[in-house]
Amino acid sequence: MKSILKKIIVVVLCLLNIPIASYAQIDTRGTDFWLMFGRNRILTHASVDLQIRIVGGNVPATGTIHFTQLGTSIPFSVPANGVFTHVLNDAQKIAVYNNTAGITNRSVRITTSTPVMVFALNQAGATTDATNVLPITALGTEYYMISGRPSNTATHMDAYGVVATEDNTRLYVEGTFVGTLNAGQTYYYMTSTNIDITGTHITSDKPVAFFSLRQGSNMGGSTNDHFFQQLAPVHTWGRTFFAPVGYMGRNFVRIVASQDGTNITQIGGTVLSTAGAQTTLTNLQAGQWVELEILLANNGAFIEANHPVGVCVFLPSSGAAITAPSDPSIAWLPALGQFVNSGLITPFIPSGNTQLNQHHALIVTPTATRYNTTLSIGGAPAAPISGGTWRTHSSGFSFYMMQLHNLTASYFFTNPAGLIVLGYGTGSVESYYYVAVSGMRTLDVAFFANDVHNQDLITHAFNTNDINFRAAIEGVTSSDPGHIKWFIDGVEDVSLRDQLTWSRNFPNGTYLIEMEVLGFDNVTVRRVEGTLVIGVFIIVNPHIRKTNIN
């Protein structure tokens, strides 16, 4: 009877085409992370509060926080959908606080038994920011710096940091070799004068983690704050974005081009004449950037580009906020192609001197399905989201503004149509801003099966045998002979060569689908894959593995 019931349950799941392992979605969760901290304004390590936060997944996790320079580790455990916070002691802060330029071992590695999310806080009174930390599966070899306007204090330099994840990693800045790093080594760069180095191009021959670490910035007002945000690699950048606005009433957006000839359109923002920025949205060259002002009165802004772009959103300086005090802080803005169906957020509570007194969430989702968003607070049963305000935009996307009143509880949001969750906190001349959860799919070279991204296929069991494939390849078309190859279970189907779209009827079962793309240089080869699951399946392993019961 139990076997029959199990079959009935999975048949229903398949007929509804519901993802049956949403925790396997390609997002900010993982089991291996590298982290570094930059200098907070001109403060020493003794003046800052540094925290690492681990947010559990669907199952409990154990792990370690390893301090590279110390050679020591701290074990921890976190319950399912629970939170573990580690406040660094003085010795640990000395071992991770990057305040001099060059190559050091000031990094942290977090490893866990099951997927979790990791966040970090760099805080002092009136100068705070937080970041999400990306798993190594989401890292890459090409980045562009996104920073903010210079501070009105001359000693606040622009800065960034790189953490190597493998030995013998060669690092380049604007094409110039700057050094070789081993796993766990950091490269910390800061300018010699208070300038803005947005658009700087950083590359490596092995995956690295990259952090924007400006020591102090002024965004539109008289006050300044430092930045702390891990940036995503170029291969995860997208073309369409929706930027929400916090309750302060005004935010800023920076958009950086990754390719020459980038054209941008937007609805809801105003292009600003910021020093170093372009004042036109057309024909941007790689590394060039524009800055927008976006208002709550316009319900946010929709952004679209013809080539992948990197986007960050900023809370303003107190003098630039319309309705409430804040301070500059930065958050990466994921592309709309990085929606996920669930996300968890908890407020950051500093252990030291702080002026933070409000904590908020911004939830971005399609307007048509916004009322399908649910919320569970502190593990309570999920219910339709309440306690906040929906703001709808003419682009077909909406965002939800809500304050997080329970400072010790987790807030778990879900929406089958997808969402992105941002978190921020504010107080008098102090704030933080970060991505709580988003996808981290490869968007420059990918394929879709019945509109499901290749990296998400393992989480779906299709109830149809007819599958339509579509390639999404930046800069490559079917007119480039020999540049696209398709493989089914390791064997190339020559009839599909150079096809951007194709269809096939597959019998029930599992199939490894691979797409190989040859670059214009006729040397670089990228191969992406996905496991196609068709028919009635049950979950054997609670993570990704499935067994056919037909």
Side-chain angles (χ1 to χ4, degrees):
M1 178 62 69
K2 289 183 179 179
S3 176
I4 295 174
L5 179 60
K6 183 180 290 186
K7 290 184 179 182
I8 292 173
I9 292 172
V10 296
V11 167
V12 171
L13 287 172
C14 292
L15 291 176
L16 293 177
N17 200 24
I18 294 175
I20 58 180
S22 61
Y23 35 75
Q25 57 197 359
I26 304 302
D27 57 22
T28 49
R29 284 169 279 200
T31 59
D32 196 350
F33 305 80
W34 285 97
L35 166 67
M36 69 178 292
F37 293 86
R39 190 169 79 178
N40 186 334
R41 297 209 291 207
I42 57 173
L43 301 175
T44 67
H45 76 275
S47 300
V48 297
D49 173 23
L50 304 183
Q51 293 185 15
I52 297 171
R53 168 174 289 179
I54 294 97
V55 177
N58 286 28
V59 295
T62 59
T64 60
I65 300 173
H66 181 76
F67 297 90
T68 307
Q69 184 159 286
L70 297 176
T72 59
S73 299
I74 295 174
F76 68 87
S77 61
V78 57
N81 296 320
V83 180
F84 171 82
T85 300
H86 176 69
V87 179
L88 276 66
N89 62 32
D90 194 63
Q92 293 163 354
K93 287 192 292 184
I94 293 173
V96 304
Y97 195 62
N98 287 272
N99 57 6
T100 56
I103 297 175
T104 69
N105 293 316
R106 293 190 175 100
S107 70
V108 184
R109 187 179 190 181
I110 299 100
T111 56
T112 59
S113 58
T114 58
V116 299
M117 293 182 293
V118 175
F119 306 93
L121 177 76
N122 186 336
Q123 187 272 336
T127 176
T128 300
D129 208 359
T131 184
N132 60 304
V133 184
L134 298 177
I136 60 170
T137 53
L139 302 181
T141 60
E142 182 182 15
Y143 296 86
Y144 282 91
M145 173 64 165
I146 303 181
S147 185
R149 304 180 198 175
S151 166
N152 52 14
T153 301
T155 53
H156 294 166
M157 305 306 175
D158 208 352
Y160 63 79
V162 177
V163 186
T165 65
E166 299 180 26
D167 290 343
N168 299 314
T169 297
R170 295 176 62 83
L171 184 66
Y172 302 83
V173 177
E174 295 293 350
T176 300
F177 175 71
V178 296
T180 299
L181 283 67
N182 288 327
Q185 287 191 306
T186 62
Y187 175 75
Y188 182 62
Y189 174 84
M190 57 181 176
T191 56
S192 58
T193 58
N194 188 4
I195 59 175
D196 182 352
I197 57 172
T198 295
T200 301
H201 191 207
I202 292 90
T203 57
S204 59
D205 63 347
K206 296 176 184 178
V208 296
F210 180 75
F211 294 83
S212 176
L213 301 171
R214 173 174 270 286
Q215 296 169 5
S217 177
N218 180 312
M219 296 296 287
S222 58
T223 58
N224 59 75
D225 210 334
H226 84 295
F227 287 161
F228 183 27
Q229 177 60 57
Q230 184 169 3
L231 302 184
V234 171
H235 74 265
T236 66
W237 291 13
R239 302 183 186 184
T240 57
F241 302 79
F242 184 81
V245 183
Y247 81 107
M248 299 78 63
R250 172 184 284 121
N251 284 184
F252 298 99
V253 175
R254 283 198 174 186
I255 308 167
V256 177
S258 65
Q259 295 185 28
D260 293 346
T262 295
N263 299 316
I264 300 168
T265 59
Q266 60 90 23
I267 304 172
T270 300
V271 179
L272 300 177
S273 298
T274 302
Q278 305 300 304
T279 57
T280 176
L281 298 177
T282 59
N283 198 31
L284 271 67
Q285 305 304 292
Q288 291 185 329
W289 54 279
V290 294
E291 184 172 293
L292 306 178
E293 175 190 68
I294 58 174
L295 300 177
L296 185 60
N298 293 335
N299 296 327
F302 176 78
I303 300 163
E304 189 169 17
N306 63 326
H307 297 303
V309 293
V311 182
C312 281
V313 288
F314 302 80
L315 299 187
S317 296
S318 287
I322 294 174
T323 62
S326 68
D327 223 9
S329 53
I330 181 176
W332 177 257
L333 183 66
L336 294 176
Q338 303 291 11
F339 272 151
V340 293
N341 53 34
S342 64
L344 186 147
I345 184 173
T346 59
F348 271 102
I349 309 300
S351 61
N353 176 38
T354 182
Q355 294 169 276
L356 294 171
N357 53 35
Q358 291 196 43
H359 306 269
H360 298 260
L362 294 171
I363 301 93
V364 177
T365 193
T367 298
T369 53
R370 65 189 184 279
Y371 295 126
N372 294 335
T373 306
T374 65
L375 170 62
S376 168
I377 302 177
I385 194 171
S386 62
T389 304
W390 280 109
R391 310 286 298 210
T392 61
H393 192 270
S394 60
S395 62
F397 295 93
S398 296
F399 68 98
Y400 192 76
M401 307 167 54
M402 71 173 295
Q403 186 172 353
L404 309 178
H405 294 285
N406 190 332
L407 302 186
T408 61
S410 61
Y411 290 72
F412 186 69
F413 299 94
T414 63
N415 189 314
L419 49 72
I420 291 169
V421 183
L422 303 176
Y424 68 96
T426 62
S428 178
V429 296
E430 192 170 344
S431 72
Y432 65 83
Y433 201 9
Y434 70 104
V435 184
V437 70
S438 76
M440 284 302 300
R441 304 172 185 88
T442 298
L443 297 181
D444 65 337
V445 177
F447 67 84
F448 295 81
N450 286 7
D451 293 324
V452 177
H453 190 280
N454 62 276
Q455 290 176 304
D456 295 333
L457 286 178
I458 192 65
T459 71
H460 286 67
F462 291 103
N463 66 303
T464 177
N465 299 101
D466 295 317
I467 307 297
N468 300 311
F469 290 87
R470 170 174 56 89
I473 309 170
E474 181 61 30
V476 175
T477 69
S478 58
S479 62
D480 301 313
H483 280 249
I484 305 173
K485 297 179 181 179
W486 295 89
F487 298 79
I488 302 174
D489 289 335
V491 178
E492 184 192 0
D493 188 327
V494 180
S495 68
L496 301 177
R497 187 168 295 183
D498 298 322
Q499 298 300 306
L500 289 172
T501 61
W502 56 281
S503 301
R504 183 156 300 176
N505 183 282
F506 287 87
N508 288 359
T510 61
Y511 304 87
L512 178 64
I513 309 298
E514 298 170 284
M515 181 181 69
E516 183 177 284
V517 178
L518 178 65
F520 285 122
D521 58 5
N522 291 317
V523 175
T524 305
V525 175
R526 291 276 300 277
R527 182 178 286 205
V528 296
E529 65 179 46
T531 300
L532 183 66
V533 181
I534 300 178
V536 180
F537 290 77
I538 63 173
I539 300 175
V540 174
N541 180 292
H543 301 295
I544 59 173
R545 194 161 56 90
K546 302 175 179 65
T547 299
N548 193 337
I549 62 173
N550 274 2

